[in-house]
Short mmCIF file of all heavy atoms in Angstrom, two decimals:
data_model
loop_
_atom_site.label_atom_id
_atom_site.label_comp_id
_atom_site.label_asym_id
_atom_site.label_seq_id
_atom_site.Cartn_x
_atom_site.Cartn_y
_atom_site.Cartn_z
N ASN A 355 -98.33 -21.17 -38.66
CA ASN A 355 -97.84 -21.10 -37.28
C ASN A 355 -96.32 -21.26 -37.20
O ASN A 355 -95.77 -21.32 -36.13
CB ASN A 355 -98.54 -22.10 -36.39
CG ASN A 355 -98.28 -23.53 -36.80
OD1 ASN A 355 -97.58 -23.80 -37.78
ND2 ASN A 355 -98.86 -24.47 -36.08
N GLY A 356 -95.65 -21.38 -38.34
CA GLY A 356 -94.20 -21.49 -38.35
C GLY A 356 -93.72 -22.92 -38.33
O GLY A 356 -92.52 -23.17 -38.43
N ALA A 357 -94.61 -23.89 -38.19
CA ALA A 357 -94.20 -25.30 -38.16
C ALA A 357 -93.94 -25.79 -39.58
O ALA A 357 -94.47 -25.26 -40.55
CB ALA A 357 -95.27 -26.16 -37.50
N ILE A 358 -93.13 -26.81 -39.67
CA ILE A 358 -92.82 -27.38 -40.98
C ILE A 358 -93.99 -28.27 -41.42
O ILE A 358 -94.50 -29.05 -40.63
CB ILE A 358 -91.53 -28.23 -40.88
CG1 ILE A 358 -90.36 -27.35 -40.52
CG2 ILE A 358 -91.26 -28.96 -42.18
CD1 ILE A 358 -89.10 -28.08 -40.20
N ASN A 359 -94.38 -28.12 -42.66
CA ASN A 359 -95.45 -28.96 -43.21
C ASN A 359 -94.80 -30.29 -43.59
O ASN A 359 -93.99 -30.36 -44.52
CB ASN A 359 -96.06 -28.28 -44.45
CG ASN A 359 -97.20 -29.08 -45.02
OD1 ASN A 359 -97.49 -30.19 -44.58
ND2 ASN A 359 -97.85 -28.53 -46.02
N PRO A 360 -95.11 -31.39 -42.90
CA PRO A 360 -94.43 -32.64 -43.14
C PRO A 360 -94.68 -33.21 -44.55
O PRO A 360 -93.84 -33.93 -45.08
CB PRO A 360 -94.97 -33.61 -42.08
CG PRO A 360 -95.97 -32.86 -41.30
CD PRO A 360 -96.05 -31.47 -41.80
N GLU A 361 -95.81 -32.88 -45.17
CA GLU A 361 -96.08 -33.41 -46.50
C GLU A 361 -95.16 -32.77 -47.54
O GLU A 361 -94.77 -33.39 -48.52
CB GLU A 361 -97.54 -33.18 -46.91
CG GLU A 361 -98.50 -34.25 -46.41
CD GLU A 361 -98.65 -34.22 -44.89
OE1 GLU A 361 -98.65 -33.13 -44.29
OE2 GLU A 361 -98.78 -35.31 -44.30
N SER A 362 -94.80 -31.50 -47.34
CA SER A 362 -93.94 -30.83 -48.31
C SER A 362 -92.46 -31.07 -48.04
O SER A 362 -91.66 -30.95 -48.96
CB SER A 362 -94.22 -29.34 -48.32
OG SER A 362 -93.89 -28.78 -47.09
N GLN A 363 -92.09 -31.39 -46.81
CA GLN A 363 -90.69 -31.66 -46.50
C GLN A 363 -90.55 -32.90 -45.59
O GLN A 363 -90.32 -32.78 -44.41
CB GLN A 363 -90.08 -30.46 -45.80
CG GLN A 363 -89.92 -29.28 -46.70
CD GLN A 363 -89.06 -28.22 -46.06
OE1 GLN A 363 -88.92 -28.16 -44.84
NE2 GLN A 363 -88.46 -27.38 -46.87
N PRO A 364 -90.70 -34.09 -46.14
CA PRO A 364 -90.62 -35.28 -45.29
C PRO A 364 -89.24 -35.51 -44.69
O PRO A 364 -89.13 -36.06 -43.62
CB PRO A 364 -91.01 -36.42 -46.25
CG PRO A 364 -90.79 -35.88 -47.61
CD PRO A 364 -90.97 -34.39 -47.53
N GLN A 365 -88.16 -35.06 -45.36
CA GLN A 365 -86.84 -35.27 -44.77
C GLN A 365 -86.67 -34.44 -43.50
O GLN A 365 -86.00 -34.85 -42.59
CB GLN A 365 -85.71 -34.98 -45.78
CG GLN A 365 -85.37 -33.53 -45.98
CD GLN A 365 -86.26 -32.82 -46.98
OE1 GLN A 365 -87.28 -33.37 -47.38
NE2 GLN A 365 -85.91 -31.62 -47.33
N ALA A 366 -87.33 -33.26 -43.47
CA ALA A 366 -87.26 -32.45 -42.24
C ALA A 366 -87.95 -33.17 -41.10
O ALA A 366 -87.50 -33.12 -39.97
CB ALA A 366 -87.88 -31.09 -42.49
N ARG A 367 -89.07 -33.86 -41.41
CA ARG A 367 -89.77 -34.59 -40.37
C ARG A 367 -88.88 -35.72 -39.82
O ARG A 367 -88.79 -35.92 -38.62
CB ARG A 367 -91.07 -35.16 -40.92
CG ARG A 367 -91.85 -35.91 -39.88
CD ARG A 367 -93.17 -36.40 -40.38
NE ARG A 367 -92.98 -37.13 -41.63
CZ ARG A 367 -93.96 -37.63 -42.34
NH1 ARG A 367 -95.19 -37.48 -41.92
NH2 ARG A 367 -93.74 -38.27 -43.44
N VAL A 368 -88.20 -36.45 -40.69
CA VAL A 368 -87.31 -37.52 -40.25
C VAL A 368 -86.18 -36.94 -39.40
O VAL A 368 -85.88 -37.47 -38.33
CB VAL A 368 -86.72 -38.27 -41.48
CG1 VAL A 368 -85.63 -39.22 -41.07
CG2 VAL A 368 -87.82 -39.02 -42.22
N LEU A 369 -85.59 -35.85 -39.84
CA LEU A 369 -84.49 -35.26 -39.08
C LEU A 369 -84.95 -34.73 -37.74
O LEU A 369 -84.21 -34.79 -36.76
CB LEU A 369 -83.83 -34.12 -39.88
CG LEU A 369 -83.08 -34.57 -41.13
CD1 LEU A 369 -82.52 -33.35 -41.86
CD2 LEU A 369 -81.95 -35.52 -40.79
N ASP A 370 -86.18 -34.19 -37.67
CA ASP A 370 -86.69 -33.68 -36.39
C ASP A 370 -86.90 -34.78 -35.36
O ASP A 370 -86.84 -34.53 -34.16
CB ASP A 370 -88.01 -32.95 -36.60
CG ASP A 370 -87.82 -31.64 -37.33
OD1 ASP A 370 -86.68 -31.14 -37.35
OD2 ASP A 370 -88.81 -31.10 -37.86
N LEU A 371 -87.13 -35.99 -35.82
CA LEU A 371 -87.38 -37.10 -34.90
C LEU A 371 -86.10 -37.73 -34.38
O LEU A 371 -86.14 -38.47 -33.40
CB LEU A 371 -88.21 -38.19 -35.60
CG LEU A 371 -89.62 -37.77 -36.04
CD1 LEU A 371 -90.26 -38.88 -36.83
CD2 LEU A 371 -90.46 -37.39 -34.85
N LEU A 372 -84.96 -37.41 -35.00
CA LEU A 372 -83.71 -38.04 -34.63
C LEU A 372 -83.05 -37.29 -33.49
O LEU A 372 -83.20 -36.06 -33.36
CB LEU A 372 -82.76 -38.07 -35.82
CG LEU A 372 -83.19 -38.95 -36.99
CD1 LEU A 372 -82.23 -38.75 -38.16
CD2 LEU A 372 -83.23 -40.39 -36.59
N PRO A 373 -82.24 -37.97 -32.68
CA PRO A 373 -81.42 -37.31 -31.68
C PRO A 373 -80.39 -36.39 -32.35
O PRO A 373 -80.08 -36.56 -33.54
CB PRO A 373 -80.73 -38.45 -30.93
CG PRO A 373 -81.42 -39.68 -31.31
CD PRO A 373 -82.12 -39.43 -32.60
N ASP A 374 -79.84 -35.46 -31.61
CA ASP A 374 -78.94 -34.46 -32.15
C ASP A 374 -77.73 -35.08 -32.83
O ASP A 374 -77.32 -34.66 -33.91
CB ASP A 374 -78.49 -33.51 -31.04
CG ASP A 374 -77.64 -32.38 -31.55
OD1 ASP A 374 -78.06 -31.73 -32.54
OD2 ASP A 374 -76.54 -32.15 -30.99
N ASP A 375 -77.11 -36.10 -32.20
CA ASP A 375 -75.91 -36.69 -32.80
C ASP A 375 -76.21 -37.36 -34.14
O ASP A 375 -75.45 -37.24 -35.08
CB ASP A 375 -75.23 -37.65 -31.82
CG ASP A 375 -76.12 -38.75 -31.32
OD1 ASP A 375 -77.36 -38.62 -31.47
OD2 ASP A 375 -75.63 -39.72 -30.75
N GLU A 376 -77.36 -38.05 -34.24
CA GLU A 376 -77.73 -38.69 -35.51
C GLU A 376 -78.07 -37.65 -36.54
O GLU A 376 -77.76 -37.81 -37.72
CB GLU A 376 -78.87 -39.67 -35.29
CG GLU A 376 -78.45 -40.87 -34.46
CD GLU A 376 -79.58 -41.85 -34.24
OE1 GLU A 376 -80.74 -41.57 -34.62
OE2 GLU A 376 -79.31 -42.93 -33.69
N ARG A 377 -78.70 -36.58 -36.13
CA ARG A 377 -79.03 -35.49 -37.07
C ARG A 377 -77.78 -34.85 -37.62
O ARG A 377 -77.69 -34.55 -38.80
CB ARG A 377 -79.90 -34.44 -36.35
CG ARG A 377 -80.52 -33.43 -37.28
CD ARG A 377 -81.44 -32.47 -36.56
NE ARG A 377 -82.23 -33.08 -35.51
CZ ARG A 377 -82.32 -32.61 -34.27
NH1 ARG A 377 -81.70 -31.51 -33.93
NH2 ARG A 377 -83.04 -33.23 -33.38
N ARG A 378 -76.77 -34.67 -36.76
CA ARG A 378 -75.51 -34.07 -37.21
C ARG A 378 -74.77 -34.95 -38.18
O ARG A 378 -73.96 -34.48 -38.97
CB ARG A 378 -74.62 -33.77 -35.99
CG ARG A 378 -75.07 -32.54 -35.24
CD ARG A 378 -74.33 -32.31 -33.95
NE ARG A 378 -72.89 -32.26 -34.08
CZ ARG A 378 -72.08 -32.17 -33.04
NH1 ARG A 378 -72.57 -32.11 -31.83
NH2 ARG A 378 -70.77 -32.12 -33.21
N ILE A 379 -75.05 -36.24 -38.18
CA ILE A 379 -74.44 -37.16 -39.14
C ILE A 379 -75.28 -37.19 -40.41
O ILE A 379 -74.74 -37.17 -41.53
CB ILE A 379 -74.32 -38.59 -38.54
CG1 ILE A 379 -73.34 -38.60 -37.37
CG2 ILE A 379 -73.93 -39.59 -39.59
CD1 ILE A 379 -71.91 -38.34 -37.71
N LEU A 380 -76.60 -37.23 -40.29
CA LEU A 380 -77.46 -37.43 -41.47
C LEU A 380 -77.58 -36.17 -42.33
O LEU A 380 -77.69 -36.28 -43.56
CB LEU A 380 -78.83 -37.92 -40.99
CG LEU A 380 -79.73 -38.56 -42.06
CD1 LEU A 380 -79.01 -39.71 -42.75
CD2 LEU A 380 -81.02 -39.06 -41.41
N GLU A 381 -77.58 -34.98 -41.73
CA GLU A 381 -77.73 -33.76 -42.53
C GLU A 381 -76.67 -33.60 -43.60
O GLU A 381 -76.99 -33.33 -44.76
CB GLU A 381 -77.76 -32.54 -41.61
CG GLU A 381 -79.08 -32.37 -40.89
CD GLU A 381 -79.09 -31.23 -39.88
OE1 GLU A 381 -77.99 -30.76 -39.49
OE2 GLU A 381 -80.20 -30.82 -39.48
N PRO A 382 -75.35 -33.80 -43.28
CA PRO A 382 -74.34 -33.69 -44.35
C PRO A 382 -74.50 -34.79 -45.41
O PRO A 382 -74.19 -34.56 -46.57
CB PRO A 382 -73.00 -33.81 -43.63
CG PRO A 382 -73.29 -33.57 -42.20
CD PRO A 382 -74.71 -33.91 -41.97
N VAL A 383 -74.97 -35.98 -45.00
CA VAL A 383 -75.15 -37.05 -45.97
C VAL A 383 -76.26 -36.69 -46.95
O VAL A 383 -76.14 -36.95 -48.15
CB VAL A 383 -75.47 -38.39 -45.25
CG1 VAL A 383 -75.84 -39.47 -46.23
CG2 VAL A 383 -74.29 -38.83 -44.41
N ILE A 384 -77.32 -36.07 -46.46
CA ILE A 384 -78.42 -35.65 -47.35
C ILE A 384 -77.98 -34.54 -48.27
O ILE A 384 -78.27 -34.55 -49.45
CB ILE A 384 -79.65 -35.25 -46.52
CG1 ILE A 384 -80.27 -36.48 -45.84
CG2 ILE A 384 -80.69 -34.56 -47.40
CD1 ILE A 384 -81.37 -36.15 -44.87
N SER A 385 -77.23 -33.56 -47.72
CA SER A 385 -76.82 -32.42 -48.54
C SER A 385 -75.68 -32.76 -49.48
O SER A 385 -75.53 -32.15 -50.53
CB SER A 385 -76.45 -31.24 -47.65
OG SER A 385 -75.33 -31.56 -46.86
N SER A 386 -74.85 -33.76 -49.14
CA SER A 386 -73.72 -34.15 -49.99
C SER A 386 -73.65 -35.67 -50.09
O SER A 386 -72.81 -36.31 -49.48
CB SER A 386 -72.41 -33.65 -49.39
OG SER A 386 -72.43 -32.28 -49.17
N PRO A 387 -74.56 -36.29 -50.88
CA PRO A 387 -74.51 -37.76 -51.02
C PRO A 387 -73.15 -38.21 -51.54
O PRO A 387 -72.55 -37.56 -52.40
CB PRO A 387 -75.62 -38.06 -52.04
CG PRO A 387 -76.51 -36.87 -52.00
CD PRO A 387 -75.64 -35.72 -51.67
N GLY A 388 -72.66 -39.28 -50.95
CA GLY A 388 -71.35 -39.81 -51.34
C GLY A 388 -70.20 -39.23 -50.53
O GLY A 388 -69.05 -39.44 -50.83
N ILE A 389 -70.54 -38.50 -49.46
CA ILE A 389 -69.53 -37.94 -48.59
C ILE A 389 -68.74 -39.08 -47.95
O ILE A 389 -69.30 -40.15 -47.64
CB ILE A 389 -70.19 -37.04 -47.52
CG1 ILE A 389 -69.15 -36.28 -46.70
CG2 ILE A 389 -71.11 -37.83 -46.62
CD1 ILE A 389 -69.76 -35.24 -45.76
N THR A 390 -67.43 -38.87 -47.78
CA THR A 390 -66.65 -39.93 -47.14
C THR A 390 -66.84 -39.85 -45.63
O THR A 390 -67.21 -38.81 -45.09
CB THR A 390 -65.15 -39.80 -47.46
OG1 THR A 390 -64.65 -38.60 -46.88
CG2 THR A 390 -64.91 -39.84 -48.96
N GLN A 391 -66.52 -40.97 -45.00
CA GLN A 391 -66.67 -41.00 -43.54
C GLN A 391 -65.69 -40.05 -42.88
O GLN A 391 -65.99 -39.47 -41.82
CB GLN A 391 -66.48 -42.45 -43.04
CG GLN A 391 -67.03 -42.69 -41.68
CD GLN A 391 -67.32 -44.15 -41.40
OE1 GLN A 391 -67.75 -44.88 -42.28
NE2 GLN A 391 -67.08 -44.56 -40.18
N ILE A 392 -64.54 -39.83 -43.50
CA ILE A 392 -63.54 -38.88 -42.95
C ILE A 392 -64.08 -37.46 -43.03
O ILE A 392 -63.99 -36.70 -42.06
CB ILE A 392 -62.21 -39.03 -43.71
CG1 ILE A 392 -61.61 -40.42 -43.47
CG2 ILE A 392 -61.24 -37.96 -43.29
CD1 ILE A 392 -60.45 -40.77 -44.37
N GLU A 393 -64.67 -37.10 -44.20
CA GLU A 393 -65.25 -35.76 -44.33
C GLU A 393 -66.40 -35.58 -43.33
O GLU A 393 -66.58 -34.51 -42.77
CB GLU A 393 -65.77 -35.53 -45.75
CG GLU A 393 -64.68 -35.46 -46.80
CD GLU A 393 -65.23 -35.50 -48.22
OE1 GLU A 393 -66.35 -36.02 -48.42
OE2 GLU A 393 -64.54 -35.02 -49.12
N LEU A 394 -67.18 -36.64 -43.17
CA LEU A 394 -68.31 -36.59 -42.23
C LEU A 394 -67.82 -36.37 -40.82
O LEU A 394 -68.43 -35.61 -40.06
CB LEU A 394 -69.12 -37.89 -42.36
CG LEU A 394 -70.44 -37.95 -41.62
CD1 LEU A 394 -71.35 -36.84 -42.09
CD2 LEU A 394 -71.09 -39.30 -41.85
N ARG A 395 -66.71 -36.99 -40.46
CA ARG A 395 -66.14 -36.80 -39.14
C ARG A 395 -65.75 -35.33 -38.95
O ARG A 395 -65.99 -34.73 -37.91
CB ARG A 395 -64.93 -37.69 -38.95
CG ARG A 395 -64.29 -37.59 -37.57
CD ARG A 395 -63.08 -38.45 -37.44
NE ARG A 395 -62.02 -37.91 -38.29
CZ ARG A 395 -61.05 -38.62 -38.83
NH1 ARG A 395 -61.01 -39.91 -38.66
NH2 ARG A 395 -60.13 -38.06 -39.55
N ASP A 396 -65.13 -34.73 -40.00
CA ASP A 396 -64.73 -33.34 -39.89
C ASP A 396 -65.93 -32.40 -39.79
O ASP A 396 -65.91 -31.45 -39.00
CB ASP A 396 -63.88 -32.95 -41.11
CG ASP A 396 -62.54 -33.68 -41.14
OD1 ASP A 396 -62.11 -34.14 -40.07
OD2 ASP A 396 -61.95 -33.79 -42.23
N ARG A 397 -66.99 -32.67 -40.54
CA ARG A 397 -68.17 -31.80 -40.53
C ARG A 397 -68.97 -31.91 -39.24
O ARG A 397 -69.50 -30.93 -38.74
CB ARG A 397 -69.10 -32.14 -41.69
CG ARG A 397 -68.64 -31.57 -43.01
CD ARG A 397 -69.82 -31.51 -43.94
NE ARG A 397 -69.36 -31.38 -45.30
CZ ARG A 397 -70.18 -31.40 -46.33
NH1 ARG A 397 -71.46 -31.57 -46.17
NH2 ARG A 397 -69.73 -31.26 -47.55
N SER A 398 -69.05 -33.12 -38.70
CA SER A 398 -69.87 -33.32 -37.50
C SER A 398 -69.11 -33.00 -36.22
O SER A 398 -69.71 -32.82 -35.18
CB SER A 398 -70.35 -34.77 -37.43
OG SER A 398 -69.26 -35.65 -37.27
N ASP A 399 -67.76 -32.94 -36.32
CA ASP A 399 -66.92 -32.65 -35.16
C ASP A 399 -67.05 -33.73 -34.08
O ASP A 399 -67.06 -33.47 -32.90
CB ASP A 399 -67.23 -31.26 -34.59
CG ASP A 399 -66.10 -30.75 -33.72
OD1 ASP A 399 -64.94 -31.12 -33.98
OD2 ASP A 399 -66.37 -29.99 -32.78
N PHE A 400 -67.23 -35.00 -34.56
CA PHE A 400 -67.26 -36.15 -33.67
C PHE A 400 -65.96 -36.92 -33.81
O PHE A 400 -65.24 -36.76 -34.79
CB PHE A 400 -68.42 -37.09 -34.02
CG PHE A 400 -69.79 -36.61 -33.62
CD1 PHE A 400 -70.88 -36.82 -34.43
CD2 PHE A 400 -70.00 -35.97 -32.42
CE1 PHE A 400 -72.14 -36.40 -34.07
CE2 PHE A 400 -71.26 -35.52 -32.04
CZ PHE A 400 -72.33 -35.74 -32.88
N SER A 401 -65.71 -37.81 -32.86
CA SER A 401 -64.55 -38.66 -32.96
C SER A 401 -64.79 -39.73 -34.03
O SER A 401 -65.92 -39.96 -34.48
CB SER A 401 -64.29 -39.35 -31.62
OG SER A 401 -65.33 -40.27 -31.34
N LYS A 402 -63.72 -40.38 -34.45
CA LYS A 402 -63.81 -41.41 -35.47
C LYS A 402 -64.75 -42.53 -35.06
O LYS A 402 -65.60 -42.99 -35.85
CB LYS A 402 -62.39 -41.97 -35.74
CG LYS A 402 -62.30 -42.96 -36.84
CD LYS A 402 -60.84 -43.40 -37.02
CE LYS A 402 -60.70 -44.43 -38.09
NZ LYS A 402 -59.31 -44.84 -38.28
N SER A 403 -64.64 -42.95 -33.81
CA SER A 403 -65.49 -44.05 -33.32
C SER A 403 -66.95 -43.62 -33.21
O SER A 403 -67.86 -44.41 -33.51
CB SER A 403 -64.98 -44.59 -31.99
OG SER A 403 -65.05 -43.59 -31.01
N LYS A 404 -67.21 -42.38 -32.79
CA LYS A 404 -68.59 -41.88 -32.67
C LYS A 404 -69.24 -41.84 -34.04
O LYS A 404 -70.40 -42.25 -34.20
CB LYS A 404 -68.58 -40.50 -32.04
CG LYS A 404 -69.93 -39.84 -31.96
CD LYS A 404 -70.83 -40.50 -30.97
CE LYS A 404 -72.12 -39.71 -30.80
NZ LYS A 404 -73.06 -40.37 -29.97
N VAL A 405 -68.52 -41.36 -35.05
CA VAL A 405 -69.06 -41.33 -36.43
C VAL A 405 -69.36 -42.73 -36.90
O VAL A 405 -70.43 -43.03 -37.42
CB VAL A 405 -68.11 -40.61 -37.39
CG1 VAL A 405 -68.54 -40.78 -38.83
CG2 VAL A 405 -68.00 -39.14 -37.04
N SER A 406 -68.43 -43.65 -36.67
CA SER A 406 -68.61 -45.03 -37.12
C SER A 406 -69.81 -45.68 -36.45
O SER A 406 -70.64 -46.33 -37.10
CB SER A 406 -67.34 -45.83 -36.83
OG SER A 406 -67.49 -47.16 -37.21
N GLN A 407 -69.95 -45.50 -35.14
CA GLN A 407 -71.07 -46.08 -34.40
C GLN A 407 -72.40 -45.48 -34.85
O GLN A 407 -73.38 -46.20 -35.06
CB GLN A 407 -70.93 -45.86 -32.91
CG GLN A 407 -69.82 -46.64 -32.27
CD GLN A 407 -69.56 -46.21 -30.84
OE1 GLN A 407 -70.11 -45.25 -30.33
NE2 GLN A 407 -68.70 -46.96 -30.15
N THR A 408 -72.44 -44.18 -35.04
CA THR A 408 -73.70 -43.52 -35.44
C THR A 408 -74.06 -43.90 -36.86
O THR A 408 -75.24 -44.17 -37.14
CB THR A 408 -73.55 -41.98 -35.30
OG1 THR A 408 -73.09 -41.68 -33.98
CG2 THR A 408 -74.87 -41.30 -35.55
N VAL A 409 -73.09 -43.94 -37.75
CA VAL A 409 -73.38 -44.36 -39.15
C VAL A 409 -73.87 -45.79 -39.17
O VAL A 409 -74.86 -46.11 -39.88
CB VAL A 409 -72.13 -44.18 -40.04
CG1 VAL A 409 -72.29 -44.89 -41.37
CG2 VAL A 409 -71.84 -42.70 -40.27
#
Side-chain angles (χ1 to χ4, degrees):
N355 63 359
I358 297 171
N359 183 355
E361 275 69 36
S362 65
Q363 290 191 338
Q365 80 277 10
R367 181 176 51 182
V368 170
L369 292 178
D370 289 342
L371 297 174
L372 294 174
D374 185 50
D375 55 345
E376 292 180 353
R377 191 176 322 130
R378 284 172 54 186
I379 294 293
L380 198 54
E381 284 175 343
V383 172
I384 290 173
S385 63
S386 305
I389 187 172
T390 66
Q391 198 158 324
I392 295 169
E393 292 169 337
L394 189 58
R395 182 182 69 208
D396 294 339
R397 281 200 198 175
S398 65
D399 199 29
F400 285 142
S401 68
K402 183 178 179 180
S403 62
K404 175 70 173 175
V405 170
S406 179
Q407 290 171 352
T408 307
V409 166

